[in-house]
Amino acid sequence: MTVDQALDSDFLTLADPYRRELLAHCYRMMGSIHDAEDQVQETFIRAWRGFDGYKGQSSLRTWLYRIATNTCLTALEGRSRRPLPTGLGAPSSDPADDLIERNEIAWLEPIADSALGDVNDPAVMVVNRDSVRLALVAALQHLSARQRAVLVLRDVLQWKASEVAEALDTTTTAVNSLLQRARAQINHIGPTEDDLVEPSTEAARKLLRDYVHSFESYDVEAIVELFTREAIWEMPPFEGWYQGPEAIGQLIGTKCPADGPGAMRLLPTAANGQPAFGLYMREPDGVHRAFQLHVLDVTESGISHVTCFFDLSLFARFGLPAEL
C-alpha cells in the first residue's frame, strides 16, 4: 500500500491540488528532487494525522506550507549543504588537468519542469521559473536552514513577517534579522539571472538548435562560438569548473569520449525553468546511451552557463529514455 492509499480520501481531495507547489517549496529547501519528494510525503502524513485539529484559522494552503517548512527544517538538521562545483570555493580549473570525481559529496540536483506543473500554462511556468532557477537554488544552499526558510517564505511566497514567525515558532524581530542576513548573503553570492532570455524567443530557439547541431557533429569550434566571454561549465560529481569559451572548448575536445560526428545525440527537455538536454553517447556496440543531462543559461549574447549532471537516474525523472 502506498502512502497516498493509506491517507483519507477526503483529506487527499483537499490537499492534493497543492502537491506540486509543495514539491517546488521542498525542492528549494532541500536542493534535491529525491529529498523533496520524501518531504512532501512526510508533510502529507503529518497533515493527515493533524487534520482533525486543523481549525481553519489560516488557509489550508498556508497550513500545509507551514508543515512542509518545518518538515524540511527537521530533515536538514545535521546535513551538509548540496553544492555545485562552483560553490566549493575553488578557482576555475585547467582543462588540461585530470578530472577528479567526488562521489562522497551530496550534489545539488535539477528538477524537471514537468514535476512543477502544467508546462503548457504560461502563468504556472513563469512563477515556477522565477523561483527554481538553478543558480538561485544553488545560492540558497549557502544559507542556514532557517535563513533559507525565511527567505523563501518572505521573498518567494510573499508571506508577512508575522506569518513566518508563527510558522517557525519565533518572533517577528528574529524573522527580520534572519531575512536581512539571508538577503545580504545571497547578494554577496550574486546569482545574476536578469539577462536570461525566455526559451520561446526566436533567438533562443536558434541558439539551442545550434547547440544541438554543434554537439551532434562534434564541432568543437562551433561549440566555442556559442558561449559568452565569461561562460561557465561544470559537471558534478567532478569537482572542477571551467570558465571561458576556450577552456570549455579544450575540455570538450580533449576529455569528451565522443569518437567523432554522430557519437552524441541530444533530446530536448526542461529543468528549473531553463532549457535542458539529455545527451546520449554512442558506445562500442553502436547504441546511444544516457550520458549527461545539460541545463543551460541562455542570454541574448550566448550561453552563459552549462551544468552537466552525470546522475543517470535523472533521465527517467525527466521522461527521457535510457537509450536511443
Side-chain angles (χ1 to χ4, degrees), residues 87-122:
L88 295 179
S92 60
S93 305
D94 186 335
D97 293 343
D98 291 338
L99 300 178
I100 300 175
E101 195 168 357
R102 297 283 301 278
N103 288 310
E104 75 278 10
I105 294 176
W107 296 100
L108 185 72
E109 297 173 354
I111 187 170
D113 280 12
S114 57
L116 299 173
D118 183 0
V119 295
N120 296 314
D121 185 341

Side-chain angles (χ1 to χ4, degrees), residues 87-153:
L88 295 179
S92 60
S93 305
D94 186 335
D97 293 343
D98 291 338
L99 300 178
I100 300 175
E101 195 168 357
R102 297 283 301 278
N103 288 310
E104 75 278 10
I105 294 176
W107 296 100
L108 185 72
E109 297 173 354
I111 187 170
D113 280 12
S114 57
L116 299 173
D118 183 0
V119 295
N120 296 314
D121 185 341
V124 171
M125 286 318 302
V126 165
V127 172
N128 286 332
R129 228 184 344 256
D130 289 344
S131 64
V132 295
R133 297 285 194 191
L134 199 57
L136 174 60
V137 179
L140 289 173
Q141 293 294 305
H142 289 268
L143 306 178
S144 70
R146 286 181 73 81
Q147 285 178 332
R148 203 179 304 171
V150 168
L151 186 74
V152 170
L153 291 173

Side-chain angles (χ1 to χ4, degrees), residues 72-86:
C72 289
L73 288 174
T74 300
L76 287 167
E77 290 177 2
R79 292 197 190 187
S80 58
R81 63 187 179 90
R82 285 182 171 270
L84 288 174
T86 46

Side-chain angles (χ1 to χ4, degrees), residues 25 35 51 58 63-64 109 124 139 141 145-146 167 169 171 191 193 195 248 261 266 285:
H25 179 62
D35 291 348
F51 193 54
S58 62
W63 185 65
L64 289 171
E109 297 173 354
V124 171
Q141 293 294 305
R146 286 181 73 81
D169 193 22
T171 65
E193 299 182 332
D195 59 347
I248 295 171
L266 280 71
D285 62 0

Side-chain angles (χ1 to χ4, degrees), residues 208 267-271 274-278 293-296 318:
L208 296 174
L267 289 185
T269 183
Q274 301 168 228
F277 294 98
L293 183 76
H294 292 197
V295 181
L296 282 63
F318 278 76

Side-chain angles (χ1 to χ4, degrees), residues 46 65-75 146 167-169:
R46 292 188 186 187
Y65 268 101
R66 186 180 303 156
I67 296 172
T69 301
N70 284 286
T71 297
C72 289
L73 288 174
T74 300
R146 286 181 73 81
L168 301 183
D169 193 22

